[in-house]
Amino acid sequence: MRLLVIPPPVQLIGTAALMWVVNRHVPGLRIDFPGGDLVGGILIAIGLGVEVIAIAAFVQAGTTVNPIQPEKTRKLVTSGLYRLSRNPMYAGMLLLLSGWVLRLGSGWNIGVLIGFVGLITVLQIKPEEEILREKFGDAYTDYCARVRRWL
């Protein structure tokens, strides 16, 4: 199953670009509301914060942050944000994209957002889980039983 070919930051940027194209070229289904830009901006800021905190936890633990080579992971990080989500980096990306949806105001992009969640789960998260389960065995299985994949 190990797909791990498109780095998650590329998936994030590609999805954001697709959302921009959809916003510009697919009419109708507007979700504009008062404060939407503000709420979107706040979600983007929170998403960036989550990204920084999650990456810092890996750096502090002395393990790789390279999403294409999870087999180089040296330590299973289960503290901080990783007590709440097994994938806070991807949850941060979801927050960023959710804010972008609100800023753009196209309801069609909710479908793009759902597609992002599906694709990142299939292309990145599940292969990572397989590798981490092989590498850390019962410790990773126990962690998965305690902590949800997303939130």
Side-chain angles (χ1 to χ4, degrees):
M1 172 188 209
R2 297 182 183 174
L3 300 175
L4 301 177
V5 293
I6 304 171
V10 172
Q11 293 180 52
L12 171 70
I13 292 166
T15 301
L18 175 61
M19 288 176 168
W20 182 83
V21 169
V22 166
N23 186 64
R24 299 264 310 176
H25 300 290
V26 181
L29 204 57
R30 301 300 303 165
I31 55 170
D32 297 323
F33 63 92
D37 281 346
L38 176 63
V39 173
I42 290 169
L43 286 175
I44 290 169
I46 293 170
L48 286 171
V50 167
E51 290 291 323
V52 168
I53 292 167
I55 290 168
F58 271 32
V59 170
Q60 185 177 22
T63 194
T64 184
V65 295
N66 184 342
I68 299 300
Q69 297 179 322
E71 66 276 358
K72 291 188 176 184
T73 301
R74 286 181 262 184
K75 182 176 179 190
L76 184 60
V77 178
T78 61
S79 60
L81 291 177
Y82 292 89
R83 287 178 298 136
L84 307 172
S85 169
R86 294 196 313 258
N87 297 287
M89 288 183 216
Y90 304 134
M93 290 179 182
L94 179 59
L95 286 167
L96 284 163
L97 290 172
S98 296
W100 187 230
V101 167
L102 291 177
R103 300 280 306 199
L104 292 172
S106 173
W108 296 115
N109 279 325
I110 295 170
V112 177
L113 186 65
I114 292 167
F116 169 80
V117 170
L119 284 175
I120 200 104
T121 299
V122 170
L123 296 176
Q124 192 67 38
I125 294 173
K126 287 186 177 185
E128 281 180 6
E129 289 174 344
E130 182 182 322
I131 291 165
L132 294 173
R133 192 168 281 109
E134 287 173 9
K135 187 163 186 100
F136 296 106
D138 289 341
Y140 185 72
T141 300
D142 293 344
Y143 174 62
C144 289
R146 289 189 323 271
V147 179
R148 296 177 63 128
R149 179 180 284 154
W150 284 93
L151 288 177

